[in-house]
Amino acid sequence: MNIIYDALVEIGFEVVKPSGTFYIFPKALEEDAIAFCNKAKEYDLIFVPAGTFGCPTHFRMAYCIDTEKVKRSIPVLKKFAREVYGMNC
């Protein structure tokens, strides 16, 4: 959880550090979380819009996967944020 949380903060996402569970709910980099998640698919990043969880501007990421997979996803997440949203990361 710390790996993905730290990366999200570094990239510039608004996110609250979870105190448990297997998921984290960052705010999407645009108002339409569904559009955000669909754009992420083009980078092979699979996120779930969090509207059904009561957070329509956020998305859900699972981190209950192998730590090495999480680590490999960080550069791709940074590339996505940089290329699509102009984030300085």
Side-chain angles (χ1 to χ4, degrees):
M1 182 270 300
N2 289 321
I3 295 168
I4 196 67
Y5 173 79
D6 291 344
L8 289 165
V9 169
E10 178 186 340
I11 292 167
F13 282 90
E14 291 181 39
V15 61
V16 174
K17 191 171 190 175
S19 59
T21 77
F22 304 108
Y23 308 103
I24 192 165
F25 288 85
K27 185 174 182 185
L29 296 175
E30 64 180 273
E31 287 301 311
D32 186 343
I34 295 170
F36 173 84
C37 293
N38 286 333
K39 290 173 186 173
K41 286 181 190 176
E42 296 176 22
Y43 287 78
D44 293 325
L45 297 168
I46 306 302
F47 304 140
V48 177
T52 57
F53 302 101
C55 304
T57 59
H58 291 64
F59 63 101
R60 185 178 80 167
M61 297 175 69
Y63 53 83
C64 54
I65 59 174
D66 181 67
T67 302
E68 289 306 312
K69 287 182 183 180
V70 171
K71 289 179 180 178
R72 285 195 313 264
S73 72
I74 302 302
V76 179
L77 179 58
K78 288 180 179 181
K79 181 179 180 180
F80 167 61
R82 200 172 40 249
E83 290 182 357
V84 178
Y85 296 97
M87 303 299 287
N88 187 20
C89 52

